[in-house]
Amino acid sequence: MNKLRNSQLWQLILANARELLREPAVLFWGIGFPILMSLGLGVAFTKKKDVTVTIAVIGRNHLIHAPSDSVSVIQTFLLRNKAILKVGKDGSISRELTVPDEKLGGTKYIFSDMSWKKAMVMLKRGNLNLVMDESGSQIQYHFDPMNPDAQLTYLKFSKLMKDPDLIIRESETEIRPLNVTGTRYIDFLVPGLICMGVMMACMWGVSYDIIEKRSKKLLRRMIATPMKRSNFLVALITVRIAMNFVESGLLFLVASLVFHITIQGSVPALILFFLSGNIAFAGIAVFLSCNTAKTEIGNGLINLISMPMMVLSGIFFSYHNFPGWSIPAIQKFPLTMMADGVRSIFIEGAGFGEIMLPALIMLVIGVAFFTAGLKLFKWH
Amino acid sequence: MKQEAIIQVKNVHKSFKSVHAVRGIDLEILPSQFIALLGPNGAGKTTLVEMIEGIQKPDKGEILITGKPWKGNEKELRRIIGLSLQETRFIDKLRLFETLRLFASFFGLGAERCEEVMNLVGLEEKRQAYVVNLSGGQRQRLALGVALLNKPRILLLDEPTTGLDPQARREVWMILKKLKDASATSLILTTHYMEEAEQLCDYIVIMDHGTILKEGTLHDLLGKSSAYIEEKQEYKGPPRNLDELFIELTGRHLNE
Ligand SMILES: Nc1ncnc2c1ncn2[C@@H]1O[C@H](COP(=O)(O)OP(=O)(O)OP(=O)(O)O)[C@@H](O)[C@H]1O
Ligand SMILES: [Mg+2]
């Protein structure tokens, strides 16, 4: 027992753990921040909120006149459905109509009377979803075909115009929303956040820490002893990985309490896979920091590595939105590999069989970078 | 019988870009000998000591510790050397005793030795203090303590008393004197204080611009220097102390 406590690896681990736990900022950024982020994004994307769409109606006073005055289809529609008339401070006239929908979230339509010129200005500013022109013999819809939001508004609204009873009918019966655990955005997001947290923790907690210690000439004093060099790095990494387990565990705990996230696949497989992902990033982090004593350079290197992966690896949205030719490359990033694997266990119920290969690849990446980093490591 | 030198420095050179910091130094240190390296700022003291410590590599020349070069013997030599660097930083967020424990573990030593050393350097009261909160002098004493942990055969101290108050300086001298009486440790110490060299060391080396200007026992130095001045034909009588000798040799004050 005493022998263990006196061993240099154990004392190095203790020193690193103490240093970490005695730094409150580290705890906030490591634990508090990811949880807050998951809560914020989770709430923002999970609650199906009522959407508001704005439709410009071209033509003179279409909205205010009685239906008998003309044959305006829109007027007829709006009045029949008791759309509320609103007059703005500047004299602008609009009508509001809310179509409730339990399953998909309601839609609030705002119809504004305006000139073609003004409509174009508002469209360019992104304040308009759709422009309706009834000056011809039939209704014309104008919108940007590249804008899916505008398309959706068009489809929804034109359907409503053809079948106004939809407003009164509860909702469309053939729609069955998939609110099952595993298919929501939050189910996609949390595994990604966990992996991103591991990457950032390794970059700052290992790379930056090493560079800072080197620049403060702390490493120099340590290697002027019989300390085994690899022990120093192994201790740093061990503490970091242990901390990552705690941080990710807490994030998962909060997400499971708030959003009822579950792990559908094998938990032991998840632990193994998570560990090998940690080793991959820890190895990369050691390699990244092996040479420089300038914290500014460290900063740059960390951003250079982590920024592209954060954007491309499908943490916040699926990387399948990127062009097809880039996807095979994206899938080779360590963060993509880790996020895909963790997600497959969380959501798709994967087990050892599915994650063995990527786990092994990440392990090899980690060990290779670590070894190279240790070889090239500058102690002062 | 001639004693075998424990440290041999043979024609050592070291440059940093345009600065030729150490230019051809020869030095031998015997077991249990205490040597002072005296010299103004930039003389090359730290560079020389760090080469002996194996932290920097000489560009030219050879350094042997117990007859062995650093290359290939690092593991063995590290065990018998204790050192404190001129700028020593420890981990801020560790307590004093934890720091000692950490460094002791590198030598395979336990808590007992840490207690001893802590008492030796008089820091018992600060046992639980974070390193970041220690005063400059307390940190110096911690650095000395760390250097003494492994009861080194060779002790290399780079300005161990700079920044200490006179009382604390005297305490460090007492510790080192006791060490001299009780063991066969050899010491190389750099300093700007003449008194320190006079009080502690049997052999004094005066350096400037990367070379040795003069070396010998205090007695030798003060005796011989009159001849040196005679050469310049401006004999003013022999220097009464190291201070005067130093100014004569280097043309500057030590503490500049
Ligand atoms: N890493 C370095 N890079 C460039 N120049 C250096 C480096 N280390 C030392 N020097 C230069 O080498 C010369 C000798 O420096 P050194 O630190 O050995 O002096 P010193 O005698 O210890 O001085 P001091 O009494 O101020 O500690 C100085 O001119 C210094 O500027
Ligand atoms: Mg110096």
Side-chain angles (χ1 to χ4, degrees):
Chain A
M1 192 55 214
N2 238 338
K3 193 132 192 248
L4 173 76
R5 268 194 282 139
N6 292 347
S7 90
Q8 50 173 279
L9 186 58
W10 175 244
Q11 284 294 331
L12 279 164
I13 287 176
L14 269 183
N16 276 298
R18 285 170 172 146
E19 214 187 340
L20 190 66
L21 295 175
R22 286 169 186 171
E23 191 56 75
V26 170
L27 294 183
F28 171 74
W29 290 108
I31 296 175
F33 185 65
I35 289 177
L36 287 178
M37 196 145 119
S38 78
L39 288 180
L41 288 171
V43 168
F45 286 99
T46 323
K47 280 254 163 58
K48 200 71 201 165
K49 274 197 320 219
D50 289 359
V51 287
T52 302
V53 298
T54 309
I55 299 174
V57 182
I58 310 290
R60 196 159 290 279
N61 294 335
H62 268 172
L63 300 179
I64 203 163
H65 286 210
S68 54
D69 289 0
S70 72
V71 285
S72 167
V73 184
I74 301 163
Q75 276 174 343
T76 319
F77 170 80
L78 290 176
L79 289 169
R80 226 183 92 192
N81 289 298
K82 304 198 173 61
I84 303 151
L85 181 71
K86 295 242 161 119
V87 182
K89 281 201 193 89
D90 55 350
S92 64
I93 288 165
S94 62
R95 280 185 188 269
E96 284 183 18
L97 177 64
T98 304
V99 181
D101 188 323
E102 289 258 299
K103 289 173 189 164
L104 300 179
T107 311
K108 180 168 151 193
Y109 295 93
I110 299 175
F111 301 88
S112 284
D113 221 352
M114 63 181 77
S115 68
W116 176 258
K117 215 171 137 191
K118 188 175 174 208
M120 285 306 110
V121 172
M122 283 185 65
L123 196 68
K124 282 177 194 154
R125 288 185 187 160
N127 296 339
L128 267 188
N129 300 64
L130 194 64
V131 179
M132 257 172 93
D133 188 354
E134 227 194 338
S135 42
S137 55
Q138 67 191 105
I139 304 177
Q140 282 182 334
Y141 295 97
H142 303 267
F143 60 91
D144 177 2
M146 298 295 281
N147 180 347
D149 238 23
Q151 267 191 38
L152 184 65
T153 308
Y154 161 71
L155 288 174
K156 268 198 203 167
F157 182 65
S158 58
K159 189 172 181 192
L160 200 62
M161 289 284 282
K162 288 196 191 100
D163 182 9
D165 292 344
L166 272 180
I167 299 170
I168 302 136
R169 256 190 274 143
E170 250 302 270
S171 192
E172 298 189 55
T173 44
E174 72 267 24
I175 292 178
R176 289 267 177 276
L178 279 173
N179 278 335
V180 204
T181 311
T183 56
R184 303 161 305 170
Y185 178 66
I186 190 79
D187 298 305
F188 174 86
L189 179 69
V190 168
L193 279 183
I194 286 176
C195 298
M196 188 181 81
V198 168
M199 177 179 78
M200 295 317 256
C202 286
M203 293 295 142
W204 294 103
V206 177
S207 276
Y208 198 81
D209 193 70
I210 288 174
I211 294 169
E212 206 183 9
K213 285 202 171 107
R214 186 184 288 124
S215 79
K216 285 185 181 168
K217 304 198 169 169
L218 240 139
L219 297 183
R220 204 166 197 265
R221 181 62 191 91
M222 291 189 139
I223 52 134
T225 67
M227 181 187 76
K228 205 172 151 203
R229 296 173 182 214
S230 56
N231 276 348
F232 172 81
L233 293 174
V234 169
L236 180 63
I237 288 176
T238 307
V239 169
R240 190 63 258 176
I241 293 181
M243 193 66 193
N244 286 351
F245 268 92
V246 173
E247 290 174 10
S248 304
L250 283 173
L251 175 57
F252 172 73
L253 190 73
V254 170
S256 72
L257 288 176
V258 178
F259 302 110
H260 311 290
I261 278 179
T262 55
I263 302 167
Q264 317 223 340
S266 150
V267 174
L270 179 63
I271 291 172
L272 179 88
F273 189 78
F274 185 76
L275 183 65
S276 91
N278 269 274
I279 291 172
F281 282 112
I284 293 172
V286 167
F287 182 76
L288 211 62
S289 63
C290 69
N291 211 288
T292 181
K294 294 212 172 73
T295 47
E296 296 86 353
I297 293 183
N299 230 320
L301 282 176
I302 289 171
N303 285 328
L304 185 74
I305 298 293
S306 59
M307 284 296 181
M309 286 208 259
M310 232 157 86
V311 175
L312 298 174
S313 289
I315 299 305
F316 297 99
F317 54 88
S318 167
Y319 57 79
H320 289 285
N321 293 324
F322 290 112
W325 56 263
S326 65
I327 287 175
I330 289 175
Q331 282 171 332
K332 291 192 181 68
F333 293 161
L335 185 59
T336 319
M337 230 181 268
M338 185 174 179
D340 282 356
V342 170
R343 254 183 214 133
S344 74
I345 299 172
F346 262 85
I347 308 177
E348 296 159 21
F352 281 102
E354 291 90 336
I355 55 100
M356 255 332 181
L357 183 66
L360 199 69
I361 294 175
M362 289 196 303
L363 194 69
V364 169
I365 291 177
V367 172
F369 275 104
F370 179 87
T371 314
L374 184 62
K375 268 254 150 59
L376 300 172
F377 206 88
K378 277 205 182 133
W379 294 87
H380 46 84
Chain B
M1 192 191 83
K2 193 177 177 286
Q3 236 181 329
E4 184 76 16
I6 193 164
I7 300 174
Q8 292 160 279
V9 178
K10 298 178 186 169
N11 191 28
V12 160
H13 288 258
K14 177 81 182 177
S15 297
F16 302 98
K17 292 187 189 115
S18 61
V19 185
H20 202 160
V22 171
R23 31 185 117 189
I25 286 200
D26 291 281
L27 201 61
E28 291 211 337
I29 291 110
L30 303 174
S32 77
Q33 196 174 30
F34 274 30
I35 288 196
L37 285 183
L38 276 171
N41 292 136
K45 304 182 295 292
T46 298
T47 310
L48 176 61
V49 168
E50 290 193 351
M51 284 191 288
I52 297 173
E53 287 163 348
I55 295 176
Q56 299 192 41
K57 283 200 182 68
D59 299 335
K60 211 180 118 188
E62 195 181 25
I63 290 172
L64 301 177
I65 316 279
T66 63
K68 292 171 186 155
W70 271 103
K71 200 166 187 284
N73 299 298
E74 179 150 6
K75 219 174 153 189
E76 183 190 337
L77 296 183
R78 288 262 167 256
R79 302 209 148 268
I80 60 164
I81 289 180
L83 57 90
S84 75
L85 302 173
Q86 183 167 2
E87 289 175 66
T88 299
R89 294 281 301 256
F90 295 107
I91 299 172
D92 284 346
K93 291 279 173 174
L94 284 193
R95 299 180 196 280
L96 183 132
F97 195 70
E98 292 165 352
T99 305
L100 286 171
R101 284 284 268 149
L102 177 64
F103 278 87
S105 77
F106 298 157
F107 296 97
L109 299 165
E112 222 173 303
R113 179 63 188 153
C114 298
E115 299 280 0
E116 276 173 35
V117 163
M118 194 172 60
N119 294 341
L120 188 65
V121 295
L123 286 170
E124 307 91 323
E125 273 173 42
K126 291 288 165 185
R127 182 194 181 97
Q128 293 299 329
Y130 287 119
V131 168
V132 69
N133 296 333
L134 294 178
S135 77
Q138 289 162 347
R139 219 168 294 178
Q140 293 271 61
R141 275 188 279 161
L142 172 61
L144 178 62
V146 170
L148 292 173
L149 273 169
N150 59 328
K151 301 187 176 158
R153 276 173 67 192
I154 300 170
L155 190 58
L156 299 140
L157 305 176
D158 200 350
E159 300 193 19
T161 61
T162 299
L164 297 192
D165 62 46
Q167 174 62 25
R169 180 172 303 142
R170 240 159 264 280
E171 277 167 22
V172 168
W173 292 352
M174 285 307 295
I175 296 167
L176 293 176
K177 272 185 183 156
K178 263 193 240 163
L179 190 78
K180 192 170 173 57
D181 295 339
S183 68
T185 301
S186 307
L187 168 74
I188 298 183
L189 136 101
T190 74
T191 182
H192 292 167
Y193 302 105
M194 296 299 166
E195 203 191 342
E196 189 160 299
E198 285 175 24
Q199 290 266 339
L200 280 177
C201 299
D202 342 281
Y203 200 81
I204 294 166
V205 175
I206 298 178
M207 281 180 74
D208 198 9
H209 303 299
T211 56
I212 294 177
L213 298 180
K214 218 166 175 64
E215 61 183 304
T217 60
L218 184 64
H219 183 80
D220 293 342
L221 289 178
L222 296 184
K224 263 190 232 159
S225 86
S226 49
Y228 170 83
I229 291 160
E230 267 170 342
E231 276 168 31
K232 290 190 178 175
Q233 294 169 349
E234 41 179 314
Y235 187 69
K236 296 179 198 151
R240 281 177 307 276
N241 57 34
L242 264 182
D243 261 311
E244 284 183 14
L245 172 68
F246 191 85
I247 295 162
E248 283 171 19
L249 287 174
T250 65
R252 14 181 188 162
H253 279 281
L254 208 49
N255 297 339
E256 261 169 18

